[in-house]
Amino acid sequence: MTTAGDAVEALRAAGATVATAESLTGGLVCATLVGVPGASDVVRGGVAAYAADVKTSALGVPAALIAERGTVDADVAAAMAAGVRDRLGATYGVSTTGVAGPGPAEGKPAGTVHVAVAGPAGVRTRLLELAGDRAEIRAGTVDALLSWLVATLGEESRHVRG
């Protein structure tokens, strides 16, 4: 099974749903998930918030946070994930923000990516430092985020049962 297939199956097993908030991946996380048959049972939707003002208006990321730190930031990723979870009424919100390249942005090198998972147990973020061209960085981000979502679902279901 693919990582997306694992994620859809884990969400279904948990009776959970997901929504995506994406910057550098531009909708690729959501598209990858909905490529799995039966994804409509668990995917609520996604927001491709590429521009900073869209992160603020569509997802509720504080403009002051972006003004202070830029968009390539762990707290921005956390706010994106929490915002999409709330706005789309999902059990989990996931997000991506970073630099796909080819060059640096906001003083950060290509491959610097922040991802977040917001769920019933709170919001967690991870920094990814990926190598490759734009396509490889974007694909690596999707794979890493969906793998982490599967692990998070497993951890949280063990806590509920345990």
Side-chain angles (χ1 to χ4, degrees), residues 9-150:
E9 194 51 46
L11 286 159
R12 185 179 290 115
T17 58
V18 69
T20 65
E22 304 179 61
S23 187
L24 86 147
T25 49
L28 190 57
V29 174
C30 192
T32 301
L33 285 167
V34 301
V36 176
S40 60
D41 294 340
V42 298
V43 177
R44 297 280 301 155
V47 175
Y50 210 63
D53 64 309
V54 177
K55 289 173 179 66
T56 298
S57 64
L59 298 170
V61 178
L65 175 62
I66 293 174
E68 179 184 322
R69 299 195 196 158
T71 60
V72 183
D73 179 80
D75 289 335
V76 171
M80 290 171 65
V84 81
R85 176 181 184 241
D86 178 60
R87 282 165 168 74
L88 274 60
T91 315
Y92 291 88
V94 298
S95 70
T96 66
T97 188
V99 185
E106 298 182 9
K108 296 173 177 87
T112 303
V113 178
H114 293 276
V115 295
V117 174
V123 184
R124 295 187 298 171
T125 64
R126 280 194 175 164
L127 170 64
L128 307 176
E129 295 174 312
L130 304 172
D133 63 19
R134 272 183 78 77
E136 291 167 328
I137 290 168
R138 292 174 74 229
T141 299
V142 171
D143 190 55
L145 179 57
L146 293 180
S147 294
W148 186 31
L149 176 61
V150 171

Side-chain angles (χ1 to χ4, degrees), residues 153-162:
L153 286 158
E155 292 167 14
E156 291 187 5
S157 71
R158 281 192 294 280
H159 289 298
V160 169
R161 281 188 237 135

